[in-house]
Amino acid sequence: MDVPHHLTATQLLAAYRDKALSPLDYAASLIAHIEHWEPHLKALYAYRPEAFLAEARESSERWARNDPRGTLDGVPVTLKELIATRGTPVPLGTGLGDQRPAEEDAPPAARLAEDAALLLGKTTCPDFGMLSSGLSSFHGLTRNPWNLACNTGGSSSGAGAAAAAGYGPLHVGTDIGGSVRLPAAWCGVVGFKPTLGRIPIDPYYVGRCAGPMTRSVDDAALLMTSLARTDRRDAMRLPPETIDWTDLRLELQGMRLGVMLEAGCGLPLDEPIRLAVEQAARCLEAAGATLVPIAPVLTREMLDGLDRFWRARQWSELETLTPAQRERVLPAIVDWAEEGARLSGVEAVRGFQQTLNMRRATEAAFEQVDAVISPTTPNVAFPTDWASPTNDPQRPFEHIAYTLPWNMGEQPAISLNGGYSDDGMPLGVQLIGPRFADHLVLKLAKALEQRREIAPRWPSLPTGG
């Protein structure tokens, strides 16, 4: 058997069925593995190993009786701390304000509990989920396991680090402008942002999605079987639909695949990422797809407009804090949001209007093609203690130009590893489909994963203190 923490969720479930491994044996091995990694990464919040072991023991007893309680019985999972779990505070990366324990599970947590997945712990995020960085005034600094001097990205920073380091096979993040796909790219894992409403979420908001972060496309699909079930607490949810998420067979012959190498604005594209995307596109072309170069969907006006709206929105939250509390928020966020106090209502509304312009542009892209391939990030890596790839609070979104439009347009998009730079850092490749074509995007990702044939490779455990 492989090293336990290298097993996928599918492999784990097979091992449980065959009595080759018990959930308790796996949990004990996983805890020992995390003890070595976590002092370096700081990816976890509300991590309670004794409670996790107790649940694993109960799961082992069920498997011994051949009576698993759910489809994920005994499989560890982490949830981003923004996803409420009953009995645990939701600090929003800051620990400010009312920190009473959550009274109920948010929809993703509730679905996983129904399927008897074992909650390993929560994962870290930056203040208010408003940075693509591992920086947090509450959690501290979460580092990238591929290189501790490099950033995880965010805001699902802990989930990206935990997935790459092998903290179990299943992780769930949230994404409003790239917060699942960006850390997935920089940490070399799979990150799937579904169509808005496909995975019910609470609180819900324009563009906000929960999504799987895993080491394989198969595990992302497996997670969808739980997460995509309906929940009326999300007023933006999609109607229930019967989908066999784990059936990832796809015939590529005749598919028109748009190749979008330029973002339209933001940071310039690093050459290693361009080459990785081009190679990925050629793999799919060799399998039958027709490649169609397409123009960017984002403009400078769109990105700047949304930036202004988000500043005003964030300032409205900061304004509820006392001056002493505001001083505890990361300076990069305060410096960025302060302009929101000076914007007029008309300027904020004009900024929000750009979300609709993005929606129009992204929808139009699929008049020509069935799916799109692009970079996930423009840059290979950036320093671990930076608030963003520019580290400039006045230019905080220059790196989200490839991911943001698909949140505002509500299309499903997935990032998966497309290879490595000369320095050994992962290179993210993104696949996007039309609204509601979530299953197609997962199938296309599986096809690419199989055809790229990148040898399994995961970060080495740090040595020393």
Side-chain angles (χ1 to χ4, degrees):
M1 180 179 293
D2 289 339
V3 177
H5 62 265
H6 285 168
L7 296 175
T8 68
T10 303
Q11 290 169 332
L12 261 187
L13 289 167
Y16 295 163
R17 282 192 297 270
D18 296 341
K19 305 297 189 287
L21 186 68
S22 74
L24 183 58
D25 291 337
Y26 180 80
S29 173
L30 187 58
I31 287 170
H33 176 70
I34 290 170
E35 284 177 356
H36 289 292
W37 266 109
E38 186 58 8
H40 302 275
L41 297 187
K42 293 182 170 54
L44 294 178
Y45 161 67
Y47 171 52
R48 303 181 181 96
E50 290 306 317
F52 176 61
L53 278 174
E55 292 187 2
R57 186 174 292 107
E58 293 176 4
S59 176
S60 294
E61 293 170 357
R62 293 191 292 271
W63 278 105
R65 300 192 303 267
N66 294 318
D67 186 28
R69 198 180 74 207
T71 56
L72 295 176
D73 199 340
V75 180
V77 64
T78 71
L79 292 163
K80 187 176 180 177
E81 66 106 310
L82 299 180
I83 299 172
T85 51
R86 187 167 61 88
T88 302
V90 183
L92 302 178
T94 68
L96 299 173
D98 183 2
Q99 291 299 301
R100 286 179 297 180
E103 295 183 358
E104 62 179 3
D105 287 341
R111 300 294 83 74
L112 291 167
E114 289 167 1
D115 288 343
L118 304 186
L119 181 61
L120 174 68
K122 309 295 283 293
T123 52
T124 59
C125 71
D127 295 27
F128 305 105
M130 280 307 300
L131 293 178
S132 189
S133 172
L135 280 174
S136 165
S137 61
F138 179 78
H139 299 294
L141 177 59
T142 301
R143 295 177 182 269
N144 191 320
W146 290 97
N147 184 337
L148 299 181
C150 290
N151 209 294
T152 57
S155 63
S156 303
S157 48
Y167 288 20
L170 304 179
H171 309 269
V172 182
T174 62
D175 190 317
I176 199 170
S179 289
V180 160
R181 289 157 291 155
L182 294 168
W186 282 313
C187 293
V189 299
V190 174
F192 180 45
K193 180 207 81 70
T195 300
L196 184 73
R198 177 70 71 190
I199 296 175
I201 188 73
D202 182 30
Y204 50 87
Y205 194 73
V206 176
R208 185 173 189 246
C209 302
M213 299 179 71
T214 63
R215 284 182 163 192
S216 70
V217 176
D218 283 336
D219 276 359
L222 180 65
L223 253 181
M224 289 298 293
T225 63
S226 295
L227 298 177
R229 294 201 298 271
T230 195
D231 192 305
R232 285 194 173 275
R233 288 175 289 174
D234 185 349
M236 302 171 81
R237 72 194 182 285
L238 297 182
E241 187 175 357
T242 301
I243 297 173
D244 182 0
W245 293 105
T246 60
D247 180 1
L248 297 177
R249 295 169 294 179
L250 178 65
E251 174 55 61
L252 285 164
Q253 198 68 41
M255 173 176 282
R256 290 175 58 81
L257 182 65
V259 182
M260 184 183 293
L261 290 174
E262 300 303 326
C265 56
L267 292 175
L269 181 61
D270 285 351
E271 192 61 18
I273 300 175
R274 180 185 299 274
L275 294 175
V277 174
E278 289 175 341
Q279 186 173 5
R282 287 195 295 271
C283 283
L284 296 174
E285 182 183 36
T290 298
L291 303 185
V292 181
I294 61 173
V297 292
L298 193 69
T299 66
R300 185 82 253 173
E301 183 181 12
M302 291 175 185
L303 185 60
D304 288 347
L306 192 60
D307 179 18
R308 287 191 292 273
F309 170 71
W310 276 353
R311 288 181 196 235
R313 178 174 175 261
Q314 186 62 55
W315 185 254
S316 73
E317 295 187 24
L318 293 178
E319 207 173 32
T320 66
L321 303 177
T322 67
Q325 288 176 324
R326 245 188 331 265
E327 287 182 3
R328 291 167 53 189
V329 177
L330 287 173
I333 289 181
V334 176
D335 291 348
W336 164 72
E338 278 181 330
E339 186 183 327
R342 296 185 286 272
L343 291 171
S344 70
V346 170
E347 289 172 313
V349 169
R350 286 174 178 164
F352 181 78
Q353 179 64 33
Q354 295 302 329
T355 67
L356 303 180
N357 293 343
M358 284 185 229
R359 186 182 183 111
R360 184 183 302 275
T362 52
E363 188 69 17
F366 293 99
E367 292 178 358
Q368 310 171 50
V369 297
D370 303 303
V372 172
I373 187 169
S374 82
T376 310
T377 68
N379 59 309
V380 173
F382 64 105
T384 190
D385 57 350
W386 282 20
S388 74
T390 63
N391 205 32
D392 179 353
Q394 300 311 315
R395 299 171 59 242
F397 300 132
E398 299 301 296
H399 60 288
I400 66 173
Y402 289 105
T403 55
L404 170 67
W406 315 110
N407 290 79
M408 300 304 109
E410 303 183 8
Q411 292 86 4
I414 193 167
S415 179
L416 63 162
N417 187 29
Y420 301 91
S421 69
D422 290 342
D423 295 332
M425 296 304 291
L427 307 171
V429 174
Q430 182 177 220
L431 297 164
I432 309 105
R435 289 173 70 217
F436 317 123
D438 306 67
H439 201 191
L440 171 65
V441 169
L442 283 166
K443 289 179 178 181
L444 190 57
K446 178 64 176 180
L448 179 56
E449 184 181 63
Q450 289 177 321
R451 286 165 174 79
R452 282 287 284 115
E453 296 181 340
I454 298 172
R457 173 179 168 189
W458 297 108
S460 300
L461 191 68
T463 58

